[in-house]
Amino acid sequence: MGNVSQQQPYPWPSASATGVGSWPGEDPDEAMRTVLGELPDLPHLPELPGRGAGADMIGRTAGLLVELPVEVQPTGWRVADTPGRDLARAGGFLAYDLDALTEHAHTYEGSLKIQVAGPWTMAASVELRNGQRLVSDPGAARDLVESHLEGVLAHLADVRTRAPHARVIVQVDEPSLPAVLVGSLPTASGYGLLPAVDRVRVETVLRSLFAALTEAGAVPAVHCCAPSVPVDLLRRSGAGAIGLDAHVIGRDHDEMIGTAVEDGVGFMLGVVPSVDGPEMSDPARNVDPVRELWNRLGFGPDLLSRAVVATPSCGLAGASPRHARAALRAVRDGARVLRDEPRT
């Protein structure tokens, strides 16, 4: 791979660590305090899906949609005629989280990450009134994309008033993106598959969102911990950073990742288990997949800790509070290894 400018301005300090988004428990105040304490260089606004419907990734972002009300059905979130108590609950949860941000981060001056579900994951997850996924109807999908863009920009403006000195990174969570691209989403009956969405259409929608976030002064990032992340598509769409699980990306991603690094894209790489299990490895072993990737790509070791942020492999909502805290400490230690011992 070629040379990358030594002065590449990444949206975070060298040797940073951060969380993916979700967090165990139900207390936004405690969660925000913990994240700010454990991740001083790149804290994020924690999401607490343990509180129930409306605090989950889809419901939380559904609460941001403009003039597109949804409600909870036994199968999930579905388009509704008018806003009801489900949306009110989602808005209430987010208001508590933002109040905790105001309380603890109003004087914070570094980079701060917030997360929203992306337009394609929303289209794959929210149902039309007939029970089919919204992504199956191009007109409805277009309406969702416009509503989502407007809502996300309003949310960003709100976050800005609460942490006015922070540099905001907006992480767009797109776990369903690979399924949308290859046509592997089941139909409502479960017996068929929805057709793939055209890649050009997918890229155009993401490019519009990322361009709008950039214009609003934020850094657009995208996260997907599936094995088949379309890194090239995300790079072309204008993502300033891409979040992946370092343990599931294979060598077939090397060229795409290398091209993105050459383009100045930063990476948030998952190195620590997001759920309880065996004891965590020592910090050096945790980041071995990242160091091996970097060695294969052939970039200078000094670039590693600037271009790459260490994260848990996915959100921590399914972990015990003890494991979640340990995971944040582990990614912080891992980030230091990437700086001090970039070679395996």
Side-chain angles (χ1 to χ4, degrees):
M1 293 289 172
N3 290 324
V4 179
S5 158
Q6 291 304 301
Q7 299 310 312
Q8 175 61 45
Y10 292 98
W12 46 63
S14 182
S16 286
T18 194
V20 172
S22 68
W23 187 256
E26 301 182 13
D27 183 345
D29 200 62
E30 185 192 9
M32 191 74 243
R33 226 177 21 240
T34 303
V35 165
L36 278 164
E38 298 287 354
L39 303 170
D41 290 330
L42 184 52
H44 62 96
L45 179 63
E47 301 165 356
L48 304 173
R51 292 175 293 186
D56 60 296
M57 179 174 74
I58 301 303
R60 187 181 181 85
T61 301
L64 302 176
L65 298 176
V66 177
E67 293 179 6
L68 186 63
V70 296
E71 62 189 9
V72 178
Q73 293 291 335
T75 48
W77 290 89
R78 184 175 288 186
V79 172
D81 292 322
T82 54
R85 64 169 185 260
D86 296 329
L87 274 186
R89 191 168 57 230
F93 286 142
L94 184 58
Y96 288 131
D97 297 345
L98 290 170
D99 286 348
L101 181 71
T102 312
E103 171 80 15
H104 298 289
H106 62 282
T107 58
Y108 175 76
E109 293 185 351
S111 293
L112 168 75
K113 183 168 72 69
I114 62 172
Q115 304 82 219
V116 295
W120 292 112
T121 291
M122 291 299 292
S125 306
V126 175
E127 298 173 353
L128 296 162
R129 288 179 184 82
N130 65 8
Q132 286 288 13
R133 296 168 195 265
L134 205 145
V135 72
S136 66
D137 180 329
R142 246 191 317 276
D143 291 345
L144 170 79
V145 163
E146 288 175 16
S147 168
H148 178 272
L149 177 63
E150 195 178 333
V152 168
L153 291 176
H155 178 48
L156 171 61
D158 189 3
V159 168
R160 281 248 165 76
T161 64
R162 294 159 179 278
H165 310 292
R167 181 182 191 187
V168 182
I169 298 170
V170 180
Q171 174 182 300
V172 177
D173 286 317
E174 282 286 15
S176 301
L177 184 62
V180 167
L181 286 166
V182 301
S184 62
L185 289 168
T187 55
S189 69
Y191 294 119
L193 295 174
L194 295 176
V197 178
D198 177 63
R199 290 182 84 87
V200 175
R201 169 79 182 134
V202 170
E203 190 175 319
T204 301
V205 165
L206 291 175
R207 185 181 291 128
S208 298
L209 174 59
F210 296 161
L213 290 170
T214 303
E215 199 172 310
V219 176
V222 64
H223 179 263
C224 178
C225 46
S228 51
V229 181
V231 173
D232 273 345
L233 185 151
L234 298 175
R235 170 183 59 80
R236 288 195 306 266
S237 302
I242 299 175
L244 310 169
D245 180 350
H247 295 279
V248 301
I249 49 172
R251 287 172 180 259
D252 54 334
H253 278 72
D254 283 8
E255 192 172 332
M256 289 190 284
I257 292 172
T259 303
V261 172
E262 283 181 336
D263 264 12
V265 177
F267 279 86
M268 299 177 286
L269 298 181
V271 296
V272 169
S274 55
V275 290
D276 295 59
E279 283 304 301
M280 272 179 261
S281 307
D282 68 87
R285 191 168 307 154
N286 284 333
V287 297
D288 269 351
V290 176
R291 298 193 292 179
E292 286 161 12
L293 167 71
W294 209 251
N295 291 348
R296 292 199 304 272
L297 295 179
F299 292 115
D302 56 315
L303 181 66
L304 176 53
S305 67
R306 291 195 288 124
V308 172
V309 170
T311 75
S313 59
C314 220
L316 292 165
S320 66
R322 189 182 68 80
H323 178 87
R325 281 197 176 82
L328 296 193
R329 282 194 291 274
V331 295
R332 215 171 59 212
D333 292 343
R336 289 199 195 107
V337 172
L338 295 181
R339 181 190 61 205
D340 301 338
E341 305 166 45
R343 298 270 190 224
T344 48

